[in-house]
Structures are given as C-alpha cells and as structure tokens.
Amino acid sequence: MHSYGVVPEDANLVAAHVMVARQPVTAAIAHGALVATQFHPEKSGPCGQRILARWLKHLPG
C-alpha cells in the first residue's frame, strides 16, 4: 500500500477505484487519451494485459 492517494478536484476524472478499509481509493484517473494508474498493469499478468489492450482499442484517432 502506498502512503498517499490521489483525490482529483474533478471526480469525473476517476476511472477506477478500489476499496481499502471500507474507503474508496482512486486506482486510475483518465482525461482524454491520458490514463494514470496507481498500479502497474504491465506487471499484472493477463489481467493487466487485457486492461492495456482495452485502453489501446479506445484511443482517439
């Protein structure tokens, strides 16, 4: 567990959250083609690979 968490001023930027001790913690934020995560999808095995593939599929352009 990291010692910090992101709380965006615009709650619409939250793309994913995880519950920790019954509190939501931001796991990913997204704005246009920019996505930032609180984990390493490239190190998360098949699940992480599927996440990355879905993001690439939905990139604009």
Side-chain angles (χ1 to χ4, degrees):
M1 177 64 64
H2 294 285
S3 60
Y4 67 93
V6 174
V7 181
E9 289 182 18
D10 181 355
N12 292 316
L13 296 176
V14 176
H17 72 272
V18 62
M19 299 300 286
V20 177
R22 292 184 257 179
Q23 296 291 321
V25 175
T26 302
I29 58 173
H31 181 47
L34 175 67
V35 178
T37 64
Q38 182 67 6
F39 69 102
H40 296 275
E42 75 281 6
K43 295 181 180 180
S44 299
C47 291
Q49 294 295 316
R50 287 193 299 272
I51 290 170
L52 291 172
R54 283 193 302 251
W55 287 344
L56 291 173
K57 182 178 176 182
H58 292 94
L59 283 177

